[in-house]
Amino acid sequence: MIDTTVNAIQSIFMLASKAVSIYATICFIRIILGWFPEINYSSVGKFLSQLCDPYMNLFYKIPLRIGMIDFTPILSLGLLTMLSSLLAEIARTGRIYIAGIICNIILLLWNAVATIGIILFLLFFVRYCVAIFSKSSNDYNSPWQNLDRYISKTVFKFAKPVSGKKPLSYKKALLRASIVTLLLLIAGQFAIVSITNLIAMIPF
């Protein structure tokens, strides 16, 4: 009787995990369709909007937009992925592992931060390379100049810790911002691995 009850509970958690995973996939499709207005405003797009927007709109109050880049979908999908993994783990083991939940939350937050960091690093470094090798990238009507309008403030903020009060050209600021971002990602990864390993040793 006990085994039957345990199996039933595990089955419920597994079904819940699958349901959350399917919903995360639907939300991902909704995000992609948002890039295509002709599909987004179709009957299918409107149905997905009604299904996904009440959940996803909860995250748009969080200031995760840098210029034209919005990182809130990463967080909303990441939470669903973490919840699905957590439910699947409970179904597999038959118990709620508190230390594991804490580790998953930490890893989710770090993955969201790391994803943003990687995107910023690529933007900074690619823009630096273009600025070095392409003189036309500095033209007023260049697409790269439009990008600069969105990222220049962030570039100088990231470059400031290693520049002090010394004024920097935009090219040097891009290079230093790239280096700082990369170092922060590496240091953060080591710190997160150490922290989660310590928490995983806690027997509860």
Side-chain angles (χ1 to χ4, degrees), residues 163-182:
S163 62
K165 297 181 179 180
K166 184 179 179 181
L168 289 177
S169 66
Y170 188 53
K171 290 181 182 179
K172 290 182 178 180
L174 282 166
L175 178 59
R176 297 190 183 190
S178 301
I179 295 172
V180 168
T181 307
L182 183 59

Side-chain angles (χ1 to χ4, degrees), residues 107-184:
L107 288 172
L108 167 68
L109 294 174
W110 167 245
N111 286 335
V113 172
T115 300
I116 295 172
I118 291 170
I119 293 173
L120 289 177
F121 168 75
L122 291 174
L123 285 174
F124 297 160
F125 188 69
V126 170
R127 180 64 185 99
Y128 170 73
C129 292
V130 170
I132 292 295
F133 296 108
S134 176
K135 294 181 179 179
S136 62
S137 67
N138 296 319
D139 294 343
Y140 180 75
N141 292 324
S142 167
W144 296 105
Q145 288 294 306
N146 292 327
L147 175 63
D148 292 339
R149 294 188 185 97
Y150 290 111
I151 69 170
S152 58
K153 291 182 180 179
T154 307
V155 167
F156 283 105
K157 284 182 180 179
F158 274 69
K160 187 175 181 180
V162 292
S163 62
K165 297 181 179 180
K166 184 179 179 181
L168 289 177
S169 66
Y170 188 53
K171 290 181 182 179
K172 290 182 178 180
L174 282 166
L175 178 59
R176 297 190 183 190
S178 301
I179 295 172
V180 168
T181 307
L182 183 59
L183 291 176
L184 287 174

Side-chain angles (χ1 to χ4, degrees), residues 63-125:
L64 288 177
R65 178 182 289 273
I66 299 178
M68 59 183 175
I69 304 174
D70 187 4
F71 294 101
T72 50
I74 296 174
L75 180 59
S76 60
L77 292 177
L79 282 173
L80 290 175
T81 302
M82 185 198 73
L83 179 59
S84 177
S85 299
L86 177 60
L87 291 171
E89 183 66 17
I90 295 173
R92 186 181 66 83
T93 61
R95 68 189 184 93
I96 298 176
Y97 182 38
I98 303 300
I101 295 174
I102 296 172
C103 287
N104 280 330
I105 293 173
I106 293 174
L107 288 172
L108 167 68
L109 294 174
W110 167 245
N111 286 335
V113 172
T115 300
I116 295 172
I118 291 170
I119 293 173
L120 289 177
F121 168 75
L122 291 174
L123 285 174
F124 297 160
F125 188 69

